[in-house]
């Protein structure tokens, strides 16, 4: 009796078309032996290219808004900063499903190339921003035209043989997590170079007149090289009139059955998928809000409960965090995931995050080496916990649907996630401003309130990982 996978392989051979790029990739996968290192590196750098600009602005955003002179009081700076942080995600939320449809119809590669090209153009223009509204517009367009992150997940599943698909998806989440750390580190180190390196950069030079251009330009140059390299990426979409694999599924006895309805309605009724997306979105909202709040809190003056850090100080903390995160992802996480499973790891990480975040306002009371050591340790642990949660929920989401439904499923996930990630910085910046204005309140004064609110979101996320809400039998 022929099993399901053997029938699919046979069918692929039958429908092989000489000029179809998807068929060529399928044949190549069957002939490939060993780990697909080259493909993993391609996926890694493409995702990194898109992840870097998302949060690279957070360390210098406070100073950028201050330079625009739009905030009347210092406490209002975080409020305005939140909207610049959210503009990217608002743009992405509006077009994620559209780019998913384009990728399903015209191919993954055009959407990938457009996404990396968008970083080159609009991230550079953001660095040239001369006022608040230019900053908002360039960030919005960066998100609006960048539809890469949904299709790249489907692309990874199609590019790798079945036994390496989990590795491909893991490469995306790891690269994404590292990008969200390295991005702010670059922003912290390279912003305001005329102030940091007066011997090298004069105040009259290009980087002196545009103090936030250098980190943006470095990321854009990297994106340009990635765009050029992406021309050699293979297309994985099948271009021929009839692909039986898309329209039929096969049971273990070799009988042909009608394929499942893969339209939007059927995906919305798929509760294992939708519940995992909702949990993923709650934790994503928390992480995006935390990323912005951490950087704004760190550079806020001591009088407002902050650390009075420079952008360079924030960059140093985030660099150390990035190294810690890399070590964890490649050593401890795979072991923990094998022992406990992704969802239990996510629950443990969520619970441990709560007392950790509660300690942040008290960390601000430290000075000197004690502050530096404690903050670095706390930042590493917090980001390790966040990536553990996101990786776990991400795996559940991709296991809840058949491979052929992942393009549409990832479009839904990206739209919902982008909305949550837009809410995160906007609300985070506004709430931090409000918290810093109530330093003498009786209940949770000052920054204690903002970290308490972050903990409420984290606690909701943990609760939602349990049945009956989260159904994981598809995993």
């Amino acid at each position: 009796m022929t099993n399901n996978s053997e029938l699919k392989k046979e069918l692929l051979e039958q429908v092989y078309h000489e000029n179809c790029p998807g068929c060529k990739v399928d044949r190549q996968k069957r002939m490939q032996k060993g780990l697909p290192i080259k493909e993993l590196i391609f996926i890694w750098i493409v995702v990194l290219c898109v992840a870097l600009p998302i949060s690279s602005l957070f360390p210098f955003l406070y100073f950028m808004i201050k330079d625009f002179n739009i905030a009347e009081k210092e406490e209002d700076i975080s409020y305005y900063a939140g909207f610049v942080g959210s503009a990217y995600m608002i743009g992405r939320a509006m077009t994620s499903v559209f780019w998913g449809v384009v990728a399903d119809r015209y191919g993954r590669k055009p959407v990938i190339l457009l996404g990396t090209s968008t970083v080159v153009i609009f991230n550079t223009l953001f660095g040239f921003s001369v006022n608040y509204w230019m900053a908002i517009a360039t960030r919005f367009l960066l998100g609006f035209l960048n539809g890469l992150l949904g299709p790249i997940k489907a692309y990874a599943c199609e590019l790798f043989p079945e036994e390496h698909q989990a590795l491909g998806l893991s490469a995306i989440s790891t690269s994404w997590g590292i990008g969200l750390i390295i991005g702010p580190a670059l922003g912290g180190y390279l912003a305001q170079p005329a102030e940091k390196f007066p011997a090298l950069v004069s105040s009259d030079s290009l980087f002196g007149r545009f103090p936030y251009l250098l980190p943006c330009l470095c990321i854009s140059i990297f994106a340009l090289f990635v765009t050029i390299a992406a021309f050699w990426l293979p297309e994985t979409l099948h271009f021929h009139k009839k692909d039986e694999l898309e329209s039929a599924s096969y049971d273990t006895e070799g009988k042909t059955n009608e394929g499942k309805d893969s339209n939007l309605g059927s995906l919305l009724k798929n509760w294992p998928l939708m519940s995992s997306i909702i949990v993923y979105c709650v934790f994503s909202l928390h992480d995006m809000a935390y990323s912005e709040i951490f950087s704004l809190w760190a550079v806020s003056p001591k009088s407002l409960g902050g650390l009075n850090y420079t952008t360079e100080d924030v960059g140093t903390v985030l660099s150390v965090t990035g190294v810690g995160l890399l070590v964890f992802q490649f050593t401890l996480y795979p072991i923990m995931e094998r022992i406990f499973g992704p969802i239990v790891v996510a629950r443990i990480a969520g619970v441990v995050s709560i007392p950790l975040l509660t300690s942040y306002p008290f960390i601000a009371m430290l000075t000197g080496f004690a502050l530096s050591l404690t903050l670095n340790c706390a930042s590493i642990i917090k980001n390790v916990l966040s990536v553990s949660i996101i990786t776990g929920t991400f795996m559940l989401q991709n296991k809840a649907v058949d491979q052929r439904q992942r393009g549409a499923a990832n479009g839904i996930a990206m739209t919902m996630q982008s909305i949550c990630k837009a809410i995160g910085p906007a609300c985070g910046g506004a709430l931090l401003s409000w918290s810093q204005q109530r330093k003498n309140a009786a209940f949770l004064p000052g920054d204690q309130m903002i970290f308490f609110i972050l903990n409420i979101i984290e606690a909701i996320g943990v609760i939602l990982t349990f049945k009956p809400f989260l159904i994981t039998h598809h995993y």
Side-chain angles (χ1 to χ4, degrees), residues 43 108 112 151-160 233-236:
I43 293 283
R108 319 300 190 204
I112 291 171
I152 198 88
K153 294 170 190 173
Y155 184 74
C157 291
E158 294 156 2
L159 190 62
F160 296 110
L233 283 174
E235 177 57 70
T236 58

Side-chain angles (χ1 to χ4, degrees), residues 162-229:
E162 197 169 341
E163 65 270 23
H164 296 309
Q165 281 176 9
L167 187 64
L169 291 170
S170 173
I172 291 173
S173 59
T174 306
S175 178
W176 180 252
I178 296 298
L180 295 185
I181 298 294
I182 296 174
L186 283 172
Y189 281 129
L190 300 178
Q192 301 168 310
E195 292 179 25
K196 288 174 188 159
F197 319 110
L200 296 173
V201 182
S202 75
S203 56
D204 298 328
S205 67
L206 181 69
F207 296 124
R209 286 182 290 121
F210 298 98
Y212 312 105
L213 174 61
L214 184 58
C216 297
L217 195 60
C218 287
I219 292 169
S220 295
I221 290 169
F222 172 63
L224 178 62
F225 284 113
V226 173
T227 304
I228 294 166

Side-chain angles (χ1 to χ4, degrees), residues 290-305:
Y290 168 79
S291 294
E292 169 135 337
I293 287 164
F294 177 80
S295 293
L296 291 172
W297 168 70
V299 299
S300 295
K302 284 272 188 184
S303 59
L304 295 176

Side-chain angles (χ1 to χ4, degrees), residues 281-456:
C281 287
V282 170
F283 284 119
S284 293
L285 185 152
H286 174 277
D287 286 354
M288 202 68 184
Y290 168 79
S291 294
E292 169 135 337
I293 287 164
F294 177 80
S295 293
L296 291 172
W297 168 70
V299 299
S300 295
K302 284 272 188 184
S303 59
L304 295 176
L307 305 179
N308 204 28
Y309 268 25
T310 63
T311 56
E312 194 175 1
D313 295 331
V314 177
T316 303
V317 173
L318 292 170
S319 296
V320 173
T321 300
V323 173
L325 189 60
L326 258 179
V327 172
F328 173 79
Q329 274 294 104
F330 290 109
T331 54
L332 291 176
Y333 181 79
I335 298 167
M336 290 172 61
E337 195 269 328
R338 272 199 303 274
I339 296 170
F340 299 108
I343 204 63
V344 174
V345 172
R347 283 176 193 149
I348 294 168
V351 170
V352 174
S353 293
I354 293 172
L356 180 67
L357 276 181
T358 304
S359 71
Y360 272 48
F362 304 101
I363 291 174
M365 297 175 183
L366 300 171
T367 55
F369 178 74
L371 170 61
S372 179
L373 179 66
T374 310
L375 187 68
N376 275 294
C377 290
S379 180
I380 289 170
I381 295 167
K382 175 68 185 80
N383 281 280
V384 156
L385 296 172
S386 292
V387 168
S388 298
I389 294 167
I390 292 299
T391 304
T393 51
F394 179 55
M395 288 168 74
L396 291 177
Q397 175 194 313
N398 276 276
K399 289 285 185 181
V401 289
D402 296 332
Q403 185 181 339
R404 63 185 177 75
Q405 294 178 303
R406 281 188 182 137
N410 281 314
I412 297 169
M414 290 306 296
T415 300
M416 291 174 65
Q417 183 199 21
S418 298
I419 292 167
C420 290
K421 285 192 168 185
I423 293 167
C427 292
L431 287 169
L432 182 62
S433 285
W434 171 68
S435 297
Q436 291 179 337
Q437 289 173 33
R438 51 186 304 285
K439 294 190 295 292
N440 301 315
F443 177 68
L444 297 172
D447 289 332
Q448 289 183 40
M449 176 57 79
I450 190 68
F451 290 108
F452 174 72
I453 293 167
L454 281 175
N455 276 335
I456 290 174

Side-chain angles (χ1 to χ4, degrees), residues 107-122:
R108 319 300 190 204
K109 191 172 170 180
V111 177
I112 291 171
L113 284 168
L114 179 66
T116 55
S117 304
T118 300
V119 174
V120 177
I121 298 164
F122 292 102

Side-chain angles (χ1 to χ4, degrees), residues 47-66:
V47 174
L48 184 65
C49 158
V50 178
L52 285 173
I54 290 178
S55 54
S56 61
L57 73 164
F58 288 156
F60 61 75
L61 190 53
Y62 188 92
F63 302 99
M64 187 185 229
I65 301 300
K66 198 173 184 178

Side-chain angles (χ1 to χ4, degrees), residues 27-43:
R27 271 205 164 175
Q28 207 171 352
K29 282 193 295 190
R30 285 198 297 280
M31 292 187 292
Q32 190 176 43
K33 306 291 181 191
L35 204 63
I37 298 291
K38 187 177 76 174
E39 289 83 358
L40 274 173
I41 292 170
F42 266 135
I43 293 283

